[in-house]
mmCIF file of all heavy atoms in Angstrom:
data_model
loop_
_atom_site.group_PDB
_atom_site.id
_atom_site.type_symbol
_atom_site.label_atom_id
_atom_site.label_comp_id
_atom_site.label_asym_id
_atom_site.label_seq_id
_atom_site.Cartn_x
_atom_site.Cartn_y
_atom_site.Cartn_z
ATOM 1 N N MET Z 1 0.840 -1.208 0.000
ATOM 2 C CA MET Z 1 0.000 0.000 0.000
ATOM 3 C C MET Z 1 0.868 1.249 0.000
ATOM 4 O O MET Z 1 1.909 1.289 0.640
ATOM 5 C CB MET Z 1 -0.889 0.015 1.240
ATOM 6 C CG MET Z 1 -1.941 -1.101 1.262
ATOM 7 S SD MET Z 1 -3.210 -0.869 0.022
ATOM 8 C CE MET Z 1 -4.142 0.488 0.762
ATOM 9 N N ALA Z 2 0.425 2.262 -0.676
ATOM 10 C CA ALA Z 2 1.142 3.533 -0.719
ATOM 11 C C ALA Z 2 1.146 4.200 0.655
ATOM 12 O O ALA Z 2 0.309 3.897 1.498
ATOM 13 C CB ALA Z 2 0.474 4.468 -1.720
ATOM 14 N N TYR Z 3 2.103 5.071 0.837
ATOM 15 C CA TYR Z 3 2.150 5.855 2.067
ATOM 16 C C TYR Z 3 1.126 6.986 1.999
ATOM 17 O O TYR Z 3 0.772 7.462 0.920
ATOM 18 C CB TYR Z 3 3.551 6.431 2.269
ATOM 19 C CG TYR Z 3 4.519 5.451 2.898
ATOM 20 C CD1 TYR Z 3 4.919 4.300 2.210
ATOM 21 C CD2 TYR Z 3 5.034 5.670 4.168
ATOM 22 C CE1 TYR Z 3 5.794 3.389 2.783
ATOM 23 C CE2 TYR Z 3 5.925 4.757 4.747
ATOM 24 C CZ TYR Z 3 6.299 3.620 4.051
ATOM 25 O OH TYR Z 3 7.166 2.721 4.621
ATOM 26 N N GLN Z 4 0.659 7.390 3.184
ATOM 27 C CA GLN Z 4 -0.242 8.533 3.288
ATOM 28 C C GLN Z 4 0.293 9.468 4.367
ATOM 29 O O GLN Z 4 0.939 9.012 5.308
ATOM 30 C CB GLN Z 4 -1.654 8.091 3.674
ATOM 31 C CG GLN Z 4 -2.365 7.302 2.570
ATOM 32 C CD GLN Z 4 -3.796 6.962 2.935
ATOM 33 O OE1 GLN Z 4 -4.185 6.998 4.097
ATOM 34 N NE2 GLN Z 4 -4.591 6.626 1.934
ATOM 35 N N ILE Z 5 -0.011 10.752 4.256
ATOM 36 C CA ILE Z 5 0.436 11.752 5.237
ATOM 37 C C ILE Z 5 -0.742 12.149 6.120
ATOM 38 O O ILE Z 5 -1.789 12.563 5.627
ATOM 39 C CB ILE Z 5 1.033 12.975 4.525
ATOM 40 C CG1 ILE Z 5 2.308 12.558 3.787
ATOM 41 C CG2 ILE Z 5 1.316 14.095 5.519
ATOM 42 C CD1 ILE Z 5 2.918 13.636 2.916
ATOM 43 N N SER Z 6 -0.546 12.020 7.423
ATOM 44 C CA SER Z 6 -1.628 12.310 8.366
ATOM 45 C C SER Z 6 -1.748 13.820 8.623
ATOM 46 O O SER Z 6 -0.919 14.619 8.173
ATOM 47 C CB SER Z 6 -1.359 11.609 9.693
ATOM 48 O OG SER Z 6 -0.354 12.307 10.411
ATOM 49 N N ASP Z 7 -2.751 14.183 9.403
ATOM 50 C CA ASP Z 7 -2.974 15.586 9.746
ATOM 51 C C ASP Z 7 -1.900 16.131 10.687
ATOM 52 O O ASP Z 7 -1.902 17.328 10.997
ATOM 53 C CB ASP Z 7 -4.353 15.767 10.375
ATOM 54 C CG ASP Z 7 -5.478 15.583 9.358
ATOM 55 O OD1 ASP Z 7 -5.186 15.619 8.141
ATOM 56 O OD2 ASP Z 7 -6.625 15.401 9.774
ATOM 57 N N GLU Z 8 -0.996 15.262 11.169
ATOM 58 C CA GLU Z 8 0.130 15.726 11.990
ATOM 59 C C GLU Z 8 1.102 16.576 11.180
ATOM 60 O O GLU Z 8 1.936 17.285 11.744
ATOM 61 C CB GLU Z 8 0.888 14.537 12.581
ATOM 62 C CG GLU Z 8 0.056 13.633 13.464
ATOM 63 C CD GLU Z 8 -0.513 14.362 14.663
ATOM 64 O OE1 GLU Z 8 0.281 14.997 15.367
ATOM 65 O OE2 GLU Z 8 -1.729 14.326 14.873
ATOM 66 N N CYS Z 9 1.034 16.493 9.873
ATOM 67 C CA CYS Z 9 1.956 17.206 8.977
ATOM 68 C C CYS Z 9 1.984 18.696 9.279
ATOM 69 O O CYS Z 9 0.943 19.349 9.389
ATOM 70 C CB CYS Z 9 1.516 16.991 7.531
ATOM 71 S SG CYS Z 9 2.465 17.927 6.318
ATOM 72 N N ILE Z 10 3.216 19.239 9.404
ATOM 73 C CA ILE Z 10 3.389 20.670 9.651
ATOM 74 C C ILE Z 10 3.852 21.402 8.379
ATOM 75 O O ILE Z 10 4.303 22.539 8.437
ATOM 76 C CB ILE Z 10 4.391 20.920 10.800
ATOM 77 C CG1 ILE Z 10 5.742 20.239 10.520
ATOM 78 C CG2 ILE Z 10 3.810 20.401 12.129
ATOM 79 C CD1 ILE Z 10 6.850 20.597 11.525
ATOM 80 N N ALA Z 11 3.739 20.716 7.247
ATOM 81 C CA ALA Z 11 4.020 21.309 5.941
ATOM 82 C C ALA Z 11 5.426 21.879 5.827
ATOM 83 O O ALA Z 11 5.622 22.943 5.249
ATOM 84 C CB ALA Z 11 2.958 22.374 5.603
ATOM 85 N N CYS Z 12 6.412 21.131 6.338
ATOM 86 C CA CYS Z 12 7.799 21.609 6.276
ATOM 87 C C CYS Z 12 8.425 21.361 4.910
ATOM 88 O O CYS Z 12 9.403 22.017 4.549
ATOM 89 C CB CYS Z 12 8.632 20.948 7.366
ATOM 90 S SG CYS Z 12 8.959 19.188 7.080
ATOM 91 N N GLY Z 13 7.897 20.402 4.167
ATOM 92 C CA GLY Z 13 8.404 20.137 2.826
ATOM 93 C C GLY Z 13 9.584 19.185 2.740
ATOM 94 O O GLY Z 13 10.040 18.862 1.633
ATOM 95 N N ALA Z 14 10.093 18.722 3.863
ATOM 96 C CA ALA Z 14 11.279 17.863 3.857
ATOM 97 C C ALA Z 14 11.042 16.568 3.086
ATOM 98 O O ALA Z 14 11.907 16.097 2.353
ATOM 99 C CB ALA Z 14 11.705 17.556 5.285
ATOM 100 N N CYS Z 15 9.890 15.990 3.233
ATOM 101 C CA CYS Z 15 9.615 14.708 2.580
ATOM 102 C C CYS Z 15 9.580 14.855 1.060
ATOM 103 O O CYS Z 15 10.068 13.986 0.337
ATOM 104 C CB CYS Z 15 8.294 14.141 3.076
ATOM 105 S SG CYS Z 15 6.883 15.240 2.833
ATOM 106 N N ALA Z 16 9.020 15.941 0.584
ATOM 107 C CA ALA Z 16 8.917 16.146 -0.864
ATOM 108 C C ALA Z 16 10.300 16.181 -1.505
ATOM 109 O O ALA Z 16 10.503 15.660 -2.604
ATOM 110 C CB ALA Z 16 8.153 17.429 -1.160
ATOM 111 N N ALA Z 17 11.272 16.744 -0.787
ATOM 112 C CA ALA Z 17 12.631 16.827 -1.310
ATOM 113 C C ALA Z 17 13.305 15.473 -1.346
ATOM 114 O O ALA Z 17 14.213 15.245 -2.145
ATOM 115 C CB ALA Z 17 13.450 17.804 -0.464
ATOM 116 N N GLU Z 18 12.869 14.550 -0.505
ATOM 117 C CA GLU Z 18 13.505 13.230 -0.411
ATOM 118 C C GLU Z 18 12.842 12.176 -1.286
ATOM 119 O O GLU Z 18 13.444 11.139 -1.570
ATOM 120 C CB GLU Z 18 13.480 12.748 1.046
ATOM 121 C CG GLU Z 18 14.348 13.566 1.986
ATOM 122 C CD GLU Z 18 15.821 13.498 1.606
ATOM 123 O OE1 GLU Z 18 16.285 12.429 1.187
ATOM 124 O OE2 GLU Z 18 16.497 14.537 1.706
ATOM 125 N N CYS Z 19 11.623 12.393 -1.699
ATOM 126 C CA CYS Z 19 10.910 11.367 -2.468
ATOM 127 C C CYS Z 19 11.575 11.140 -3.830
ATOM 128 O O CYS Z 19 11.700 12.087 -4.621
ATOM 129 C CB CYS Z 19 9.442 11.767 -2.675
ATOM 130 S SG CYS Z 19 8.525 10.523 -3.592
ATOM 131 N N PRO Z 20 11.997 9.904 -4.132
ATOM 132 C CA PRO Z 20 12.727 9.631 -5.379
ATOM 133 C C PRO Z 20 11.870 9.692 -6.635
ATOM 134 O O PRO Z 20 12.406 9.761 -7.741
ATOM 135 C CB PRO Z 20 13.277 8.214 -5.155
ATOM 136 C CG PRO Z 20 12.314 7.585 -4.201
ATOM 137 C CD PRO Z 20 11.876 8.707 -3.289
ATOM 138 N N VAL Z 21 10.557 9.653 -6.469
ATOM 139 C CA VAL Z 21 9.693 9.654 -7.643
ATOM 140 C C VAL Z 21 8.795 10.895 -7.718
ATOM 141 O O VAL Z 21 7.908 10.967 -8.560
ATOM 142 C CB VAL Z 21 8.817 8.377 -7.684
ATOM 143 C CG1 VAL Z 21 9.687 7.140 -7.872
ATOM 144 C CG2 VAL Z 21 7.967 8.242 -6.424
ATOM 145 N N GLY Z 22 9.044 11.875 -6.858
ATOM 146 C CA GLY Z 22 8.276 13.115 -6.917
ATOM 147 C C GLY Z 22 6.804 12.933 -6.635
ATOM 148 O O GLY Z 22 5.967 13.651 -7.198
ATOM 149 N N ALA Z 23 6.481 12.001 -5.736
ATOM 150 C CA ALA Z 23 5.073 11.692 -5.477
ATOM 151 C C ALA Z 23 4.428 12.628 -4.460
ATOM 152 O O ALA Z 23 3.216 12.570 -4.263
ATOM 153 C CB ALA Z 23 4.949 10.254 -4.988
ATOM 154 N N ILE Z 24 5.243 13.488 -3.819
ATOM 155 C CA ILE Z 24 4.715 14.318 -2.731
ATOM 156 C C ILE Z 24 4.611 15.777 -3.175
ATOM 157 O O ILE Z 24 5.551 16.344 -3.703
ATOM 158 C CB ILE Z 24 5.615 14.215 -1.488
ATOM 159 C CG1 ILE Z 24 5.837 12.742 -1.115
ATOM 160 C CG2 ILE Z 24 4.997 14.981 -0.321
ATOM 161 C CD1 ILE Z 24 6.814 12.528 0.034
ATOM 162 N N ALA Z 25 3.435 16.355 -2.946
ATOM 163 C CA ALA Z 25 3.198 17.744 -3.330
ATOM 164 C C ALA Z 25 2.511 18.483 -2.189
ATOM 165 O O ALA Z 25 1.879 17.875 -1.326
ATOM 166 C CB ALA Z 25 2.326 17.806 -4.578
ATOM 167 N N GLU Z 26 2.646 19.800 -2.194
ATOM 168 C CA GLU Z 26 2.003 20.602 -1.169
ATOM 169 C C GLU Z 26 0.508 20.649 -1.424
ATOM 170 O O GLU Z 26 0.062 20.952 -2.529
ATOM 171 C CB GLU Z 26 2.585 22.029 -1.174
ATOM 172 C CG GLU Z 26 2.136 22.848 0.022
ATOM 173 C CD GLU Z 26 2.912 24.157 0.144
ATOM 174 O OE1 GLU Z 26 3.686 24.482 -0.777
ATOM 175 O OE2 GLU Z 26 2.735 24.839 1.169
ATOM 176 N N GLY Z 27 -0.252 20.331 -0.381
ATOM 177 C CA GLY Z 27 -1.697 20.368 -0.502
ATOM 178 C C GLY Z 27 -2.284 21.501 0.319
ATOM 179 O O GLY Z 27 -1.623 22.494 0.578
ATOM 180 N N ASP Z 28 -3.503 21.331 0.748
ATOM 181 C CA ASP Z 28 -4.207 22.356 1.504
ATOM 182 C C ASP Z 28 -3.859 22.245 2.987
ATOM 183 O O ASP Z 28 -4.498 21.485 3.719
ATOM 184 C CB ASP Z 28 -5.711 22.201 1.283
ATOM 185 C CG ASP Z 28 -6.504 23.331 1.918
ATOM 186 O OD1 ASP Z 28 -5.892 24.342 2.313
ATOM 187 O OD2 ASP Z 28 -7.734 23.201 2.020
ATOM 188 N N GLY Z 29 -2.830 22.945 3.413
ATOM 189 C CA GLY Z 29 -2.433 22.934 4.817
ATOM 190 C C GLY Z 29 -1.500 21.804 5.207
ATOM 191 O O GLY Z 29 -0.976 21.785 6.311
ATOM 192 N N LYS Z 30 -1.306 20.861 4.324
ATOM 193 C CA LYS Z 30 -0.364 19.767 4.567
ATOM 194 C C LYS Z 30 0.093 19.219 3.224
ATOM 195 O O LYS Z 30 -0.436 19.591 2.185
ATOM 196 C CB LYS Z 30 -1.009 18.673 5.416
ATOM 197 C CG LYS Z 30 -2.131 17.927 4.707
ATOM 198 C CD LYS Z 30 -2.574 16.707 5.521
ATOM 199 C CE LYS Z 30 -3.352 15.737 4.661
ATOM 200 N NZ LYS Z 30 -3.504 14.426 5.290
ATOM 201 N N TYR Z 31 1.080 18.328 3.281
ATOM 202 C CA TYR Z 31 1.563 17.714 2.053
ATOM 203 C C TYR Z 31 0.784 16.428 1.785
ATOM 204 O O TYR Z 31 0.264 15.800 2.709
ATOM 205 C CB TYR Z 31 3.065 17.448 2.152
ATOM 206 C CG TYR Z 31 3.880 18.671 1.778
ATOM 207 C CD1 TYR Z 31 3.769 19.854 2.529
ATOM 208 C CD2 TYR Z 31 4.730 18.676 0.690
ATOM 209 C CE1 TYR Z 31 4.494 20.983 2.186
ATOM 210 C CE2 TYR Z 31 5.466 19.802 0.347
ATOM 211 C CZ TYR Z 31 5.344 20.957 1.086
ATOM 212 O OH TYR Z 31 6.054 22.080 0.739
ATOM 213 N N VAL Z 32 0.718 16.062 0.509
ATOM 214 C CA VAL Z 32 -0.057 14.883 0.127
ATOM 215 C C VAL Z 32 0.772 13.998 -0.804
ATOM 216 O O VAL Z 32 1.624 14.475 -1.558
ATOM 217 C CB VAL Z 32 -1.380 15.273 -0.560
ATOM 218 C CG1 VAL Z 32 -2.324 15.943 0.422
ATOM 219 C CG2 VAL Z 32 -1.134 16.160 -1.758
ATOM 220 N N ILE Z 33 0.517 12.695 -0.748
ATOM 221 C CA ILE Z 33 1.221 11.707 -1.564
ATOM 222 C C ILE Z 33 0.300 11.193 -2.657
ATOM 223 O O ILE Z 33 -0.841 10.814 -2.389
ATOM 224 C CB ILE Z 33 1.703 10.537 -0.685
ATOM 225 C CG1 ILE Z 33 2.788 11.026 0.282
ATOM 226 C CG2 ILE Z 33 2.221 9.394 -1.547
ATOM 227 C CD1 ILE Z 33 3.176 10.011 1.345
ATOM 228 N N ASP Z 34 0.815 11.166 -3.876
ATOM 229 C CA ASP Z 34 0.074 10.579 -4.986
ATOM 230 C C ASP Z 34 0.244 9.058 -4.904
ATOM 231 O O ASP Z 34 1.318 8.518 -5.160
ATOM 232 C CB ASP Z 34 0.614 11.101 -6.313
ATOM 233 C CG ASP Z 34 -0.030 10.408 -7.510
ATOM 234 O OD1 ASP Z 34 -1.114 9.810 -7.343
ATOM 235 O OD2 ASP Z 34 0.550 10.460 -8.608
ATOM 236 N N ALA Z 35 -0.812 8.373 -4.513
ATOM 237 C CA ALA Z 35 -0.747 6.930 -4.263
ATOM 238 C C ALA Z 35 -0.322 6.150 -5.494
ATOM 239 O O ALA Z 35 0.325 5.100 -5.387
ATOM 240 C CB ALA Z 35 -2.099 6.426 -3.759
ATOM 241 N N ASP Z 36 -0.648 6.636 -6.668
ATOM 242 C CA ASP Z 36 -0.307 5.912 -7.888
ATOM 243 C C ASP Z 36 1.178 6.013 -8.220
ATOM 244 O O ASP Z 36 1.721 5.157 -8.914
ATOM 245 C CB ASP Z 36 -1.123 6.447 -9.070
ATOM 246 C CG ASP Z 36 -2.601 6.089 -8.943
ATOM 247 O OD1 ASP Z 36 -2.914 5.088 -8.272
ATOM 248 O OD2 ASP Z 36 -3.433 6.817 -9.516
ATOM 249 N N SER Z 37 1.838 7.064 -7.708
ATOM 250 C CA SER Z 37 3.268 7.253 -7.983
ATOM 251 C C SER Z 37 4.156 6.644 -6.909
ATOM 252 O O SER Z 37 5.291 6.264 -7.176
ATOM 253 C CB SER Z 37 3.587 8.748 -8.095
ATOM 254 O OG SER Z 37 2.841 9.348 -9.130
ATOM 255 N N CYS Z 38 3.667 6.562 -5.682
ATOM 256 C CA CYS Z 38 4.464 6.101 -4.532
ATOM 257 C C CYS Z 38 4.963 4.675 -4.737
ATOM 258 O O CYS Z 38 4.187 3.783 -5.073
ATOM 259 C CB CYS Z 38 3.610 6.170 -3.278
ATOM 260 S SG CYS Z 38 4.431 5.523 -1.800
ATOM 261 N N ILE Z 39 6.268 4.473 -4.549
ATOM 262 C CA ILE Z 39 6.860 3.134 -4.675
ATOM 263 C C ILE Z 39 7.139 2.515 -3.302
ATOM 264 O O ILE Z 39 7.842 1.516 -3.187
ATOM 265 C CB ILE Z 39 8.145 3.168 -5.522
ATOM 266 C CG1 ILE Z 39 9.187 4.115 -4.904
ATOM 267 C CG2 ILE Z 39 7.828 3.569 -6.957
ATOM 268 C CD1 ILE Z 39 10.567 4.012 -5.560
ATOM 269 N N GLU Z 40 6.614 3.144 -2.256
ATOM 270 C CA GLU Z 40 6.668 2.584 -0.897
ATOM 271 C C GLU Z 40 8.099 2.404 -0.389
ATOM 272 O O GLU Z 40 8.418 1.421 0.262
ATOM 273 C CB GLU Z 40 5.911 1.255 -0.854
ATOM 274 C CG GLU Z 40 4.457 1.392 -1.259
ATOM 275 C CD GLU Z 40 3.825 0.054 -1.645
ATOM 276 O OE1 GLU Z 40 4.126 -0.931 -0.982
ATOM 277 O OE2 GLU Z 40 3.027 0.023 -2.611
ATOM 278 N N CYS Z 41 8.953 3.382 -0.675
ATOM 279 C CA CYS Z 41 10.356 3.267 -0.260
ATOM 280 C C CYS Z 41 10.558 3.635 1.214
ATOM 281 O O CYS Z 41 11.542 3.248 1.822
ATOM 282 C CB CYS Z 41 11.232 4.147 -1.137
ATOM 283 S SG CYS Z 41 11.019 5.921 -0.840
ATOM 284 N N GLY Z 42 9.649 4.444 1.761
ATOM 285 C CA GLY Z 42 9.748 4.816 3.172
ATOM 286 C C GLY Z 42 10.607 6.032 3.463
ATOM 287 O O GLY Z 42 10.754 6.421 4.628
ATOM 288 N N ALA Z 43 11.184 6.638 2.436
ATOM 289 C CA ALA Z 43 12.066 7.782 2.658
ATOM 290 C C ALA Z 43 11.336 8.948 3.323
ATOM 291 O O ALA Z 43 11.898 9.647 4.171
ATOM 292 C CB ALA Z 43 12.674 8.244 1.330
ATOM 293 N N CYS Z 44 10.092 9.144 2.974
ATOM 294 C CA CYS Z 44 9.329 10.251 3.569
ATOM 295 C C CYS Z 44 9.133 10.028 5.065
ATOM 296 O O CYS Z 44 9.303 10.944 5.871
ATOM 297 C CB CYS Z 44 7.988 10.415 2.866
ATOM 298 S SG CYS Z 44 7.020 8.891 2.725
ATOM 299 N N ALA Z 45 8.810 8.810 5.440
ATOM 300 C CA ALA Z 45 8.610 8.498 6.849
ATOM 301 C C ALA Z 45 9.910 8.666 7.625
ATOM 302 O O ALA Z 45 9.915 9.143 8.769
ATOM 303 C CB ALA Z 45 8.076 7.080 6.993
ATOM 304 N N ASP Z 46 11.031 8.276 7.015
ATOM 305 C CA ASP Z 46 12.331 8.400 7.672
ATOM 306 C C ASP Z 46 12.726 9.856 7.853
ATOM 307 O O ASP Z 46 13.458 10.205 8.783
ATOM 308 C CB ASP Z 46 13.408 7.682 6.845
ATOM 309 C CG ASP Z 46 13.241 6.170 6.857
ATOM 310 O OD1 ASP Z 46 12.525 5.660 7.742
ATOM 311 O OD2 ASP Z 46 13.831 5.512 5.991
ATOM 312 N N THR Z 47 12.282 10.717 6.960
ATOM 313 C CA THR Z 47 12.677 12.125 6.949
ATOM 314 C C THR Z 47 11.790 13.009 7.818
ATOM 315 O O THR Z 47 12.260 13.983 8.402
ATOM 316 C CB THR Z 47 12.630 12.658 5.495
ATOM 317 O OG1 THR Z 47 13.482 11.861 4.690
ATOM 318 C CG2 THR Z 47 13.054 14.121 5.429
ATOM 319 N N CYS Z 48 10.535 12.667 7.927
ATOM 320 C CA CYS Z 48 9.563 13.542 8.589
ATOM 321 C C CYS Z 48 9.859 13.748 10.080
ATOM 322 O O CYS Z 48 10.023 12.782 10.819
ATOM 323 C CB CYS Z 48 8.170 12.956 8.428
ATOM 324 S SG CYS Z 48 6.893 13.979 9.187
ATOM 325 N N PRO Z 49 9.904 15.010 10.538
ATOM 326 C CA PRO Z 49 10.189 15.302 11.940
ATOM 327 C C PRO Z 49 9.025 14.992 12.880
ATOM 328 O O PRO Z 49 9.211 14.916 14.093
ATOM 329 C CB PRO Z 49 10.488 16.800 11.934
ATOM 330 C CG PRO Z 49 9.726 17.343 10.773
ATOM 331 C CD PRO Z 49 9.784 16.244 9.734
ATOM 332 N N VAL Z 50 7.836 14.787 12.340
ATOM 333 C CA VAL Z 50 6.676 14.536 13.204
ATOM 334 C C VAL Z 50 6.002 13.191 12.947
ATOM 335 O O VAL Z 50 4.928 12.903 13.477
ATOM 336 C CB VAL Z 50 5.629 15.677 13.081
ATOM 337 C CG1 VAL Z 50 6.225 16.993 13.559
ATOM 338 C CG2 VAL Z 50 5.113 15.796 11.661
ATOM 339 N N GLY Z 51 6.621 12.364 12.108
ATOM 340 C CA GLY Z 51 6.078 11.027 11.873
ATOM 341 C C GLY Z 51 4.743 10.998 11.148
ATOM 342 O O GLY Z 51 3.944 10.090 11.372
ATOM 343 N N ALA Z 52 4.526 11.966 10.285
ATOM 344 C CA ALA Z 52 3.219 12.042 9.624
ATOM 345 C C ALA Z 52 3.004 10.996 8.530
ATOM 346 O O ALA Z 52 1.896 10.487 8.381
ATOM 347 C CB ALA Z 52 3.004 13.443 9.069
ATOM 348 N N PRO Z 53 4.022 10.653 7.722
ATOM 349 C CA PRO Z 53 3.772 9.660 6.672
ATOM 350 C C PRO Z 53 3.764 8.248 7.248
ATOM 351 O O PRO Z 53 4.626 7.876 8.037
ATOM 352 C CB PRO Z 53 4.967 9.834 5.716
ATOM 353 C CG PRO Z 53 5.625 11.111 6.106
ATOM 354 C CD PRO Z 53 5.357 11.247 7.589
ATOM 355 N N ALA Z 54 2.794 7.466 6.825
ATOM 356 C CA ALA Z 54 2.718 6.075 7.248
ATOM 357 C C ALA Z 54 2.052 5.271 6.153
ATOM 358 O O ALA Z 54 1.311 5.813 5.326
ATOM 359 C CB ALA Z 54 1.925 5.947 8.546
ATOM 360 N N GLN Z 55 2.328 3.982 6.163
ATOM 361 C CA GLN Z 55 1.737 3.130 5.159
ATOM 362 C C GLN Z 55 0.252 2.928 5.476
ATOM 363 O O GLN Z 55 -0.100 2.630 6.603
ATOM 364 C CB GLN Z 55 2.464 1.786 5.109
ATOM 365 C CG GLN Z 55 2.625 1.261 3.715
ATOM 366 C CD GLN Z 55 3.782 0.284 3.589
ATOM 367 O OE1 GLN Z 55 4.380 -0.103 4.561
ATOM 368 N NE2 GLN Z 55 4.091 -0.112 2.376
ATOM 369 N N ALA Z 56 -0.576 3.091 4.479
ATOM 370 C CA ALA Z 56 -2.025 3.001 4.699
ATOM 371 C C ALA Z 56 -2.437 1.574 4.969
ATOM 372 O O ALA Z 56 -1.778 0.648 4.564
ATOM 373 C CB ALA Z 56 -2.776 3.552 3.482
HETATM 374 FE FE1 SF4 Y 101 7.883 8.953 -2.039
HETATM 375 FE FE2 SF4 Y 101 8.931 6.794 -0.939
HETATM 376 FE FE3 SF4 Y 101 7.331 8.351 0.492
HETATM 377 FE FE4 SF4 Y 101 6.306 6.887 -1.468
HETATM 378 S S1 SF4 Y 101 7.265 6.098 0.411
HETATM 379 S S2 SF4 Y 101 5.860 9.031 -1.088
HETATM 380 S S3 SF4 Y 101 7.963 6.908 -2.983
HETATM 381 S S4 SF4 Y 101 9.343 8.922 -0.329
HETATM 382 FE FE1 SF4 Y 102 4.625 17.107 6.452
HETATM 383 FE FE2 SF4 Y 102 6.437 15.460 7.507
HETATM 384 FE FE3 SF4 Y 102 6.450 15.970 4.901
HETATM 385 FE FE4 SF4 Y 102 7.197 17.843 6.629
HETATM 386 S S1 SF4 Y 102 8.260 15.904 6.232
HETATM 387 S S2 SF4 Y 102 5.832 18.127 4.841
HETATM 388 S S3 SF4 Y 102 5.798 17.455 8.339
HETATM 389 S S4 SF4 Y 102 4.819 14.919 6.059
#
């Protein structure tokens, strides 16, 4: 399953810079992952300071 970003996201943008396939974009108040692009590498979860990305 693709990763998803929870409402804990503080919109710092760190995960978007680390995603190897560019699946993360700034959304409305938080960042969002395009499930069809995500290859489930976990880099976003490893990078996030608040633990917002998790596998759905
Ligand atoms: Fe990108 Fe990997 Fe996070 Fe999926 S798990 S959104 S591919 S960094
Ligand atoms: Fe949100 Fe975490 Fe990504 Fe920062 S690294 S934009 S807090 S999900």
Side-chain angles (χ1 to χ4, degrees):
M1 294 291 286
Y3 278 66
Q4 291 184 342
I5 295 174
S6 76
D7 290 344
E8 300 300 308
C9 175
I10 56 172
C12 71
C15 57
E18 293 298 322
C19 181
V21 295
I24 308 175
E26 190 170 8
D28 186 13
K30 67 171 198 166
Y31 275 62
V32 292
I33 293 171
D34 174 19
D36 291 335
S37 301
C38 176
I39 59 170
E40 301 162 39
C41 71
C44 51
D46 291 343
T47 303
C48 181
V50 297
Q55 219 157 7

